[in-house]
Amino acid sequence: MSDVEFLVHSGIGRITLNRPRALNALTHDMVRAITAHLDRWRDDPGVRAVLVEGAGERGLCAGGDIRSIYEDARAGGTATLEFWADEYRLNAAIARYPKPYVAIMDGLVMGGGVGVSAHGSHRVATNRSRIAMPEVGIGFVPDVGGTYLLSRTPGELGTHAALTTAQLSGADAVHCGLADFFVPADRLPDLFDALATRTPDSALALVAETPPPSALAAEAAWIDHCYAADTVEEILGRLRDGGEAAVAAAKEIESKSPAALKVTLRALRTAATLPDLESVLAQEYRISHRAFGSAEFTEGIRAQVIDKDRSPRWHPATLAEVDADLVGSYFAALGDEEWTGVAR
């Protein structure tokens, strides 16, 4: 069995991420294979639309293969940087794909899973969707175009999601613009049947439903007020003076990497001003490149994934120790190593 499977049937090019035991985490080979098939299908008259889904019942994709990334970072390797460069090219290619790209965002969709789904033309969330960019919890920063998406949510909902690593429901994802349609999970087979004879627009019009109210949208008043502040310190101050939900958000943020928090906030604010996904991906690659060489990243993965003691020893340990020069270093140009977009 392949880690990613491809099938063309009834004009639909179907991509199935097939590592269910690893929650369909992406490897470099998977990214290369998806890219190659999308290139092939672009001009194939037998393929009128693409569909991406995850094998198993747990979710579409939990992100990149974090253990492999950890080992590469500890060994001082460069394979992860090459993986990210190709992954970001794939994200950009999905966003500009000329044929309908239907992403089934069922179950858990995190990190790289967002990258292969939320840039598509027809993004389908369900009642089981749990969508997140949890990078600050491992000393990293939202990537795969995550800062592009989160910086363009209504108000400050994306800032809240990025800094707390909150999981969004299907209804939240539609409200925030990370998904377009809501289809109950038990109706996904009906959607697949409809796609065999209908266009994606027609099939989704037949099956999609109005999502339930977004719980995140109901919290927008205090979220917008608190996260509109200019610094992480100010955001935390406002949250601590808020209600129960705001105080809980502050506690979540306080457990994350101080450096990653400050870099993420600047990345979100800057992404909101950049003109397109490609320019944001270029910025994210600079940040990822810098983060990959930091002790924060390996320590975060160690605490959350390897040893699972959930007690990362961040350095710098406090927000006050994260100065402007350190934050700025994550955004510095990479010279010959700059991310160059879709074309090599």
Side-chain angles (χ1 to χ4, degrees):
M1 297 285 283
S2 172
D3 286 345
V4 56
E5 297 187 341
F6 304 92
L7 174 69
V8 177
H9 181 69
S10 300
I12 305 297
R14 196 158 178 163
I15 302 170
T16 304
L17 308 183
N18 192 37
R19 299 182 69 208
R21 290 186 179 179
L23 239 170
N24 300 320
L26 292 171
T27 66
H28 201 167
D29 284 345
M30 292 168 71
V31 165
R32 291 191 185 108
I34 295 168
T35 300
H37 278 79
L38 290 179
D39 286 347
R40 189 178 310 148
W41 290 342
R42 181 181 287 108
D43 300 316
D44 184 345
V47 177
R48 54 187 175 82
V50 171
L51 182 144
V52 62
E53 62 181 347
E57 295 296 319
R58 297 171 62 196
L60 172 65
C61 175
D65 190 336
I66 202 70
R67 288 180 178 270
S68 296
I69 293 171
Y70 175 76
E71 294 300 335
D72 188 37
R74 281 172 53 88
T78 60
T80 297
L81 299 175
E82 295 164 9
F83 163 61
W84 282 336
D86 284 341
E87 184 182 26
Y88 298 1
R89 291 186 184 102
L90 173 59
N91 303 148
I94 290 168
R96 58 160 57 124
Y97 204 64
K99 294 180 179 180
Y101 184 99
V102 182
I104 307 301
M105 303 173 76
D106 185 38
L108 200 61
V109 184
M110 298 171 63
V114 173
V116 297
S117 60
H119 300 301
S121 60
H122 295 68
R123 304 165 300 174
V124 181
T126 78
N127 53 299
R128 300 190 302 200
S129 295
R130 295 293 179 268
I131 300 167
M133 297 298 295
E135 286 77 8
V136 294
I138 56 168
F140 197 50
V141 176
D143 67 335
V144 297
T147 59
Y148 177 87
L149 295 163
L150 294 175
S151 68
R152 286 159 172 79
T153 60
E156 296 292 337
L157 299 182
T159 309
H160 169 73
L163 298 187
T164 63
T165 73
Q167 293 186 4
L168 308 185
S169 69
D172 294 334
V174 173
H175 177 76
C176 288
L178 272 68
D180 306 296
F181 303 94
F182 183 87
V183 176
D186 61 5
R187 294 213 65 194
L188 287 175
D190 297 332
L191 174 60
F192 299 149
D193 287 345
L195 285 168
T197 57
R198 295 170 177 262
T199 66
D201 284 337
S202 176
L204 283 159
L206 187 69
V207 177
E209 299 180 5
T210 301
S214 163
L216 192 61
E219 305 291 327
W222 67 263
I223 288 175
D224 289 350
H225 167 71
C226 294
Y227 292 92
D230 292 331
T231 67
V232 177
E233 291 91 336
E234 291 176 274
I235 288 171
L236 285 170
R238 293 186 185 188
L239 288 170
R240 294 186 191 113
D241 289 336
E244 183 178 347
V247 171
K251 290 181 179 178
E252 282 294 327
I253 294 171
E254 288 165 347
S255 70
K256 313 308 181 194
S257 159
L261 288 168
K262 286 199 172 184
V263 174
T264 294
L265 183 61
R266 175 169 164 181
L268 289 167
R269 299 299 193 241
T270 306
T273 70
L274 294 174
D276 51 36
L277 175 62
E278 284 84 352
S279 58
V280 175
L281 286 166
Q283 172 175 273
E284 290 179 351
Y285 187 73
R286 293 183 200 114
I287 297 168
S288 299
H289 197 287
R290 174 68 173 81
F292 182 67
S294 73
E296 290 294 271
F297 188 40
T298 51
E299 172 60 12
I301 298 174
R302 181 206 64 76
Q304 299 297 335
V305 179
I306 306 301
D307 296 338
K308 299 183 180 178
D309 58 31
R310 307 291 191 266
S311 298
R313 295 180 290 274
W314 302 124
H315 181 76
T318 67
L319 289 167
E321 296 174 78
V322 183
D323 60 27
D325 287 344
L326 176 60
V327 175
S329 70
Y330 281 77
F331 295 82
L334 295 173
D336 291 343
E337 295 184 88
E338 283 284 308
W339 185 78
T340 56
V342 177
R344 291 185 181 277

